[in-house]
Amino acid sequence: MKARVTVMLKNGVLDPQGEAIRHALGSLGFSGVTGVRQGKVIELDLEATDPAAAEAEVGRMCETLLANTVIERWSVELI
Amino acid sequence: MKARVTVMLKNGVLDPQGEAIRHALGSLGFSGVTGVRQGKVIELDLEATDPAAAEAEVGRMCETLLANTVIERWSVELI
């Protein structure tokens, strides 16, 4: 079973990487971009076969290691 | 309109960040993880209102700036 974890900065947290991308896109002539946020995506191959148990386990991984929950929010999707 | 771009290393390209996460998860007792790949997710706020045009424009952004197409693959999803 595979799981995809998406980790994004929470709204209100400054995202300098996203801002840098927005500026770079503007310089390249892509003028219709009003905001950019960058985050991480982590794809996990899991031995677990029960979807509910897998999702709970991945949630614990996010809280423990994958995300800094003070400034980041995470979501899990089984694929 | 918002678009979400996902950029992952192509299969076969070594992913040391993913490997580091896999080792760290193992050390923390999460033993059922057989593989980890890490990538980037970029959320764009766009002025465009036509979905097809927006998707094509974001595709051009990926080819030009957001992904290194030699070693990375990208996908676009309108949200």
Side-chain angles (χ1 to χ4, degrees), chain A residues 4 6-8 17 20-21 24-25 28-48 57 60-61 64-66 73, chain B residues 4 6-8 17 20-21 24-25 28-48 57 60-61 64-66 73:
Chain A
R4 180 180 294 140
T6 307
V7 180
M8 299 293 295
Q17 251 183 315
I21 294 171
L25 287 172
L28 290 167
F30 295 105
S31 53
V33 182
T34 54
V36 180
R37 306 283 285 173
Q38 184 177 341
K40 290 180 288 188
V41 58
I42 299 159
E43 286 185 1
L44 302 162
D45 295 317
L46 302 169
E47 279 173 0
E57 177 94 338
R60 284 192 295 277
M61 294 179 199
T64 319
L65 179 77
L66 303 179
R73 61 188 157 82
Chain B
R4 180 181 293 140
T6 307
V7 180
M8 298 293 294
Q17 251 183 314
I21 293 171
L25 287 172
L28 289 168
F30 297 105
S31 53
V33 182
T34 54
V36 180
R37 305 283 285 173
Q38 182 176 345
K40 291 179 289 189
V41 57
I42 300 159
E43 286 185 1
L44 303 161
D45 295 318
L46 302 168
E47 279 173 0
E57 177 94 338
R60 283 192 295 276
M61 293 178 199
T64 319
L65 179 75
L66 303 179
R73 59 189 158 81

